[in-house]
Amino acid sequence: MTYKCLIVDDEKLARGLIKTHLSQLDDFELIASCSSAIEASNILQKETIDLLFLDIEMPVLKGTDFFKNLVHKPKVIFTTAYRDYAVEGFELNAIDYILKPITFQRFFSAIQKFKASQKENIVSPSTVSIPENKNSFIYIRKDRKQVKVHLDSILYIESLKDYIKIHLEKEKHVTKSSISAFEEKLDQRFIRIHRSYIINKDKITAYTKNDIEIGKIEIPIGENFRNNLTFIDS
């Protein structure tokens, strides 16, 4: 399968670099390279785009504002020279958020995330009739019962040796499991940021290079897990 791409960036050098990176991938086709959101809008009215490389800081209309107003949203990878927009980017369900200058290694990592997301979107006939997304919840063992936990209600998971504590918006659950085993049950919205913590990136309210904030809770970032946080380290 060939994926159709669109680059939107007011910087000519940035557009050229992304174009060069794309040219090394056989299954990606560049449909157009635009210098403004207005120009990109005209392309999107004529073409079906699978993946959008979108700069955030642009004259007239910011990339994030442009993307919010699209009726039919392609998958998007935000590109920018500024770290400050990371949370906003992920709130828009971005595949990734890449800081300039964009190395091919970092670019390729984002492409792999895009391909993974495409595989997840393939729905088999046996699941079409199920009214609730099978990945929207899990069951955990607690008090000799299997308790249903909705993934979108999880704030973060904390390791307690042979147990884990699942912090929800209104309650907490403790169940016997290693944090690594539990991590395998989670989807892409969850990120391991420390050997003892997994966070729901949709719940991030602020961050520094040393910790993540979810509401009033500060959770440390482990040195060995910084590569998981693509919106902090490029």
Side-chain angles (χ1 to χ4, degrees), residues 136-140 147-151 153-154 166 168 173:
S136 67
F137 62 87
I138 56 175
Y139 284 96
I140 63 167
V147 178
K148 188 177 188 178
V149 176
H150 289 273
L151 295 182
S153 68
I154 298 177
I166 305 169
L168 308 178
H173 293 305

Side-chain angles (χ1 to χ4, degrees), residues 155-156 189-191 193 197-201 204 214 219:
L155 301 177
Y156 64 98
R189 83 191 87 176
F190 293 91
I191 310 172
I193 67 165
Y197 293 100
I198 298 170
I199 57 111
N200 183 341
K201 69 183 181 184
I204 296 173
I214 297 179
I219 304 171

